């Protein structure tokens, strides 16, 4: 079923609004210089509205990664040797430089990824906050000390691991790059960032931001390219001791296998199929607002999307009907239009993948909203927000991550079944519970297998809290001091304060 809301233009030939100062070439940034790929190769970068190439990006290879690692290793001693306060000062300047480019950054992000411009502006603000936050963390973070009576004193020394490899996804790319860059820099690591090949545009702003903030040459290096080439070379490099990756579960598994060769430390934020459990006593309007926003904002291309909605049976029919009505009225349109709530999906390949799941869903559930391209948008990677009801637990659209504006709805009869359904997937990233009974809310939150749970709230995060999942949703935790733990090594130093009485093995007298 296609809909054409009256408040949206009906002209099919909408083209993307081209941002000012759009580059036609996106080079690497290695050792403080913009450079082409060592072999001169490039790849096309297209926008998701016209699917037309607007730029060429350097196509990184093992040679480019090796150049970047060399630059990072040269820069490491000086950067690691700075005081935490000095590094924090650089991070504050980075935040200021990000904010100074707020409008340009949002325009680049929206144009390149299809993200609605109003949501892209939010990502820009969050990126600046990430740098300020981790600057605060590294200054305030103390080191532990232990006293064993009057005999011995022990203290912990925290040191940066070395050269970090950061591999980031195509959804909200700039903000998620900042989420890794900020703690790595705060900790004293130098690094190589490999942005997602589908959305490298906003990353082209990092070099001027870092130069303006006074980041020394070689501390941050950016190598563009394909995951199986530049990304693989970064994972395989023996002088990169840790890898932080955000992306699909399958790719995460591959990176972990590859990293085992050099026993690298890894942090993996992977896929999700997060449940929203709605009890009959929930605040219906608030739960609806949360569900609609949680699965359709950011074009549904978010790891923590509540893409499985489980509703207690007495409320099920009304909730499903209201959800379908809301989905049909979501504003789908040009990403640069401030009225747009869902823009264009990021890439034709991903768009076809999501459409394939919609066709699967037609066989597995009852389509109650969306399911096709909006009538007023003949071109571009657009999909009307889609709702399937009466979805069984073994259905693919219930089990597999779709990563688009598609949601599956199913009923449950009691708490036991709610928890069973919530846990009935390989994933365990986030979960949401809606009920007026807070005792029950806590019971469900403790029973659901996920790294994060929100009760009577959508995804509102405190940067101090641990972020990550269980099962196939990831390995490790980031956020607050957890991120600093990942990018540093802790060494314990023991000091004798009194005479040490050691058994004298082998002594003759």
């Amino acid at each position: 079923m296609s809909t054409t809301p009256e408040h949206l233009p009906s002209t099919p030939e909408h083209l993307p609004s081209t941002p000012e100062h759009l580059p036609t070439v996106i080079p690497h940034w290695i050792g403080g210089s913009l450079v082409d790929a060592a072999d001169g190769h490039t790849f096309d970068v297209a926008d998701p509205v016209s699917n037309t190439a607007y730029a060429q990006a350097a196509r990184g290879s093992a040679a480019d990664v090796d150049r970047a690692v060399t630059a990072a290793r040269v820069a490491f001693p000086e950067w690691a040797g700075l005081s935490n306060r000095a590094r924090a000062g650089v991070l504050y300047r980075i935040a200021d430089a990000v904010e100074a480019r707020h409008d340009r950054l949002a325009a680049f992000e929206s144009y390149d990824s299809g993200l609605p411009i109003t949501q892209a502006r939010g990502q820009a603000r969050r990126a600046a906050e990430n740098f300020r936050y981790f600057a605060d963390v590294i200054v305030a973070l103390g080191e532990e000390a232990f006293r064993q009576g009057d005999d011995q004193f022990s203290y912990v020394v925290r040191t940066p691991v070395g050269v970090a490899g950061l591999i980031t996804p195509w959804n909200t790319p700039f903000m998620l790059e900042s989420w890794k860059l900020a703690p790595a820099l705060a900790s004293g690591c130098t690094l190589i960032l490999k942005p997602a090949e589908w959305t490298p545009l906003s990353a082209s702003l990092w070099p001027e931001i870092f130069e303006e903030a006074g980041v020394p040459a070689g501390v941050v290096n950016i190598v563009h390219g394909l995951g199986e080439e530049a990304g693989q070379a970064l994972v395989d490099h023996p002088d990169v001791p840790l890898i932080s990756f955000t992306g699909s579960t399958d790719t995460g598994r591959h990176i972990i296998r590859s990293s085992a060769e050099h026993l690298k430390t890894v942090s993996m934020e992977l896929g999700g199929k997060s449940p929203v459990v709605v009890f009959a006593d929930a605040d219906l309007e608030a739960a609806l607002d949360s569900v609609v926003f949680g699965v359709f904002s950011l074009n549904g291309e978010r790891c923590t999307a509540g893409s499985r909605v489980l509703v207690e049976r007495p409320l099920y029919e009304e909730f499903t009907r209201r959800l379908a009505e809301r989905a049909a009225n979501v504003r789908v349109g040009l990403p640069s239009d401030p009225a747009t709530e869902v823009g264009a999906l990021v890439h034709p390949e991903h768009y076809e993948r999501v459409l394939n799941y919609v066709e699967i869903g037609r066989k597995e559930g009852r389509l109650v909203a969306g399911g096709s391209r909006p009538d007023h948008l003949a071109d571009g990677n657009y999909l009307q927000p889609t709702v399937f009801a009466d979805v069984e637990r073994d259905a693919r659209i219930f089990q597999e991550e779709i990563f688009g504006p598609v949601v599956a709805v199913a009923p449950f009869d009691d708490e036991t079944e709610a928890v069973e359904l919530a846990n009935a997937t390989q994933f365990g990233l986030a979960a949401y519970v809606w009920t007026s009974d807070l005792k029950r809310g806590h019971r469900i939150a403790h029973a659901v297998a996920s790294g994060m749970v929100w009760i009577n709230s959508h995804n509102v995060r405190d940067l101090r809290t641990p972020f990550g999942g269980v099962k196939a949703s990831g390995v490790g935790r980031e956020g607050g001091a957890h991120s600093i733990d990942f990018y540093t090594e802790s060494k314990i130093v023991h000091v004798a304060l009194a005479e040490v009485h050691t058994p004298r093995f082998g002594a003759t007298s």
Side-chain angles (χ1 to χ4, degrees):
M1 177 178 65
S2 295
T3 60
T4 309
E6 293 180 358
H7 52 259
L8 289 175
S10 59
T11 320
E13 57 270 13
H14 276 319
L15 294 176
S17 178
T18 304
E20 294 182 353
H21 311 298
L22 188 69
T24 57
V25 176
I26 302 175
H28 303 317
W29 195 52
I30 298 175
S33 297
L34 296 171
V35 296
D36 295 331
D39 58 12
H41 291 171
T42 61
F43 63 94
D44 288 341
V45 183
D47 73 87
V49 173
S50 70
N51 289 318
T52 301
Y54 66 84
Q56 298 279 310
R59 183 168 174 169
S61 65
D64 299 297
V65 169
D66 193 59
R67 282 194 295 170
V69 172
T70 298
R73 293 185 69 193
V74 169
F76 176 73
E78 180 181 353
W79 182 250
L82 291 178
S83 69
N84 290 347
R85 176 69 69 181
R87 287 198 301 272
V90 176
L91 266 67
Y92 291 133
R93 294 196 295 272
I94 294 172
D96 291 341
V98 169
E99 284 192 337
R101 291 160 177 80
H102 179 271
D103 289 337
R104 185 179 172 202
L105 168 58
F108 274 22
E109 196 83 310
S110 177
Y111 182 84
D112 198 31
S113 70
L115 192 67
I117 185 64
T118 52
Q119 296 168 43
R121 292 189 181 116
Q123 299 303 311
R125 287 191 295 270
R126 182 59 173 270
E129 177 58 23
N130 282 336
F131 283 98
R132 289 199 177 96
Y133 171 75
F134 281 106
D136 292 341
V137 167
I138 200 64
V139 169
L141 192 64
E143 293 171 326
E144 296 175 292
F146 308 87
R147 190 178 72 166
Q148 295 91 54
D150 295 325
D151 296 331
Q152 197 169 72
F153 177 78
S154 305
Y155 62 93
V156 174
V157 177
R158 188 188 293 270
T159 57
V161 171
V163 178
L166 313 181
I167 303 176
T168 53
W170 48 258
N171 59 313
T172 60
F174 192 89
M175 190 280 289
L176 288 177
E177 289 158 7
S178 74
W179 175 240
K180 297 181 186 298
L181 287 164
L185 291 173
S187 300
C189 290
T190 55
L191 59 94
I192 294 89
L193 170 67
K194 208 298 280 182
E197 56 263 37
W198 285 353
T199 53
L201 178 58
S202 59
S204 70
L205 296 176
W206 285 122
E208 64 184 62
I209 289 170
F210 290 135
E211 286 187 333
E212 183 176 308
V215 178
V219 170
V220 178
N221 304 273
I222 303 173
V223 177
H224 295 281
L226 309 185
E228 58 269 29
E229 296 172 356
Q232 186 68 56
L234 185 57
V235 171
D236 289 342
H237 203 290
D239 295 324
V240 180
L242 88 177
I243 297 291
S244 178
F245 171 76
T246 298
S248 75
T249 297
D250 286 344
T251 302
R253 289 189 178 106
H254 174 79
I255 289 174
I256 290 174
R257 286 192 294 268
S258 298
S259 297
E261 174 67 23
H262 297 291
L263 297 177
K264 296 182 187 237
T265 302
V266 296
S267 176
M268 299 278 133
E269 197 271 281
L270 307 176
K273 193 69 175 176
S274 301
V276 184
V277 182
V278 183
F279 286 91
D281 65 350
D283 181 329
L284 177 57
E285 293 301 325
L288 273 170
D289 287 345
S290 179
V291 167
V292 172
F293 180 80
V295 73
F296 298 138
S297 62
L298 306 183
N299 298 345
E301 297 165 330
R302 59 188 303 168
C303 56
T304 55
S307 55
R308 292 183 298 137
V309 180
L310 313 175
V311 185
E312 194 170 15
R313 198 172 296 276
L315 185 62
Y316 179 73
E317 290 300 331
E318 180 183 2
F319 191 94
T320 301
R321 174 181 58 80
R322 295 280 301 279
L323 176 58
E325 291 171 355
R326 292 283 295 273
N329 287 322
V330 169
R331 297 172 179 176
V332 183
L334 200 65
S336 58
D337 184 349
T340 293
E341 295 170 326
V342 169
L345 299 190
V346 66
H347 189 275
E349 183 179 318
H350 180 63
Y351 182 52
E352 288 301 318
R353 179 180 181 274
V354 174
L355 291 181
N356 183 56
Y357 272 110
V358 171
E359 292 308 306
I360 292 169
R362 293 178 188 275
K363 302 179 182 69
E364 294 183 332
R366 175 167 56 96
L367 179 66
V368 295
S372 61
R373 172 189 296 278
D375 292 337
H376 66 286
L377 296 165
D379 300 306
N381 307 327
Y382 293 105
L383 175 64
Q384 187 68 32
T386 299
V387 180
F388 289 102
D390 308 338
V391 180
E392 299 291 336
R393 73 177 66 196
D394 59 350
R396 289 184 62 186
I397 62 169
F398 189 92
Q399 291 291 334
E400 299 175 17
E401 185 175 41
I402 299 173
F403 221 66
V406 181
V407 62
V409 189
F412 67 86
D413 289 306
D414 54 32
E415 284 187 32
T416 300
E417 187 180 16
V419 171
E420 186 181 4
L421 287 171
N423 291 339
T425 74
Q426 64 171 323
F427 298 105
L429 185 58
Y432 309 86
V433 183
W434 286 88
T435 178
S436 62
D437 182 346
L438 285 183
K439 290 182 180 178
R440 175 164 59 192
H442 285 287
R443 287 197 301 270
I444 301 298
H446 293 181
V448 170
S450 66
M452 301 169 286
V453 182
W454 282 265
I455 300 174
N456 296 335
S457 172
H458 67 278
N459 188 335
V460 178
R461 283 201 60 238
D462 185 319
L463 291 176
R464 295 171 296 180
T465 60
F467 185 97
V470 299
K471 300 192 290 187
S473 286
V475 175
R477 293 292 183 272
E478 297 185 27
H482 301 275
S483 290
I484 306 302
D485 287 342
F486 175 69
Y487 291 104
T488 58
E489 296 282 9
S490 292
K491 178 189 297 183
I492 184 74
V493 179
H494 302 282
V495 182
L497 301 178
E499 184 178 354
V500 177
H501 300 285
T502 306
R504 302 185 67 236
F505 282 22
T508 58
S509 61

